[in-house]
């Protein structure tokens, strides 16, 4: 059984009562697995939010423009598919991050507590920031693809020859999400909770 002061000062710094002296003490007392799970959640949550936001922007313009030119409806659904791909990027990264969360054997934890803690903190922080990178990148990508898809639908309603030209711009906008998942995968490559 630990007292409240011992639990508050578990980071190894000098704290008085339940008050921390600096941010490193606060962060060192947060379980690294919490950082890993929050990063995984941010990867999928923000990516789905970006996809939903993009679909909202594209879909509203598509339906509005389809009143004037019904021919654009089926052709411009590709914009909605590009937005949905952003959510799939987040699902892929969150599955990769989730597969890296492992627990060590109790014997290893007792034998090397400092090594286990250091490796867990490294893995937790890298997985957290990989999730943040993926989530924010895909949130921006979803909005960007949604705005491009909206412009594509409106331009296609005015002049059918503009569809392919604006679709190329939309493909480049969709590449932003791919860049985000590549960076997230690179950031999480060395993340491992296991101590051999």
């Amino acid at each position: 059984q630990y007292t409240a002061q011992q639990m508050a000062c578990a980071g190894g710094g000098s704290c008085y009562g339940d008050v921390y002296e600096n941010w490193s003490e606060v962060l060192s007392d947060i379980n690294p697995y919490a950082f890993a799970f929050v990063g995984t959640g941010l990867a999928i949550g923000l990516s789905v939010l970006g996809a939903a936001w993009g679909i909202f922007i594209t879909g509203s313009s598509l339906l509005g423009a389809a009143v004037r030119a019904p021919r654009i409806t089926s052709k411009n659904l590709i914009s909605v598919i590009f937005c949905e791909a952003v959510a799939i990027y987040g699902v892929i990264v969150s599955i990769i991050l989730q597969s890296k969360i492992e627990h060590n054997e109790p014997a290893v934890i007792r034998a090397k507590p400092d090594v286990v803690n250091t490796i867990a903190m490294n893995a937790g922080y890298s997985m957290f920031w990989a999730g943040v990178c993926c989530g924010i990148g895909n949130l921006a990508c979803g909005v960007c693809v949604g705005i491009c898809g909206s412009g594509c639908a409106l331009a296609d309603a005015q002049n059918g020859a503009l569809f392919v030209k604006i679709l190329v711009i939309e493909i480049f906008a969709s590449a932003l999400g791919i860049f985000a998942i590549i960076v997230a995968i690179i950031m999480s490559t060395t993340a491992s909770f296991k101590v051999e």
Side-chain angles (χ1 to χ4, degrees):
Q1 295 290 337
Y2 294 104
T3 65
Q5 182 176 1
Q6 289 170 327
M7 290 176 66
C9 299
S14 57
C15 60
Y16 305 100
D18 57 352
V19 178
Y20 291 101
E21 279 192 352
N22 55 44
W23 280 104
S24 67
E25 292 177 6
V26 175
L27 294 176
S28 66
D29 279 350
I30 298 173
N31 192 330
Y33 287 95
F35 280 108
F37 284 117
V38 168
T40 303
L42 286 174
I44 192 168
L46 292 176
S47 296
V48 169
L49 179 64
W53 200 346
I55 290 170
F56 168 71
I57 294 169
T58 296
S60 59
S61 295
L62 177 59
L63 291 175
V67 171
R68 182 181 179 279
R71 64 177 171 74
I72 70 165
T73 306
S74 60
K75 184 164 56 168
N76 278 278
L77 283 178
I78 188 114
S79 300
V80 175
I81 293 168
F82 279 147
C83 290
E84 189 61 35
V86 172
I88 294 170
Y89 299 157
V91 169
I92 291 168
V93 170
S94 64
I95 289 171
I96 291 171
L97 294 179
Q98 185 69 29
S99 69
K100 292 179 172 289
I101 301 174
E102 299 173 313
H103 291 286
N104 287 299
E105 298 296 325
V108 175
I109 296 171
R110 282 191 298 272
K112 306 175 187 176
D114 292 336
V115 173
V116 169
N117 188 42
T118 302
I119 288 177
M121 288 175 75
N122 179 34
Y125 293 151
S126 64
M127 289 176 64
F128 173 77
W129 288 111
V132 169
C133 172
C134 173
I136 292 177
N138 283 329
L139 177 65
C141 176
V143 172
C144 183
V145 170
I147 292 170
C148 288
S150 172
C152 185
L154 295 174
D156 189 22
Q158 289 293 323
N159 182 358
L162 294 175
F163 175 75
V164 175
K165 295 174 183 173
I166 298 179
L167 189 64
V168 171
I169 297 169
E170 196 172 349
I171 290 169
F172 285 118
S174 179
L176 296 174
I178 296 172
F179 298 151
I181 66 168
I182 289 171
V183 171
I185 290 170
I186 291 170
M187 288 173 70
S188 67
T189 300
T190 59
S192 174
F193 285 94
K194 275 290 191 190
V195 176
E196 301 300 330

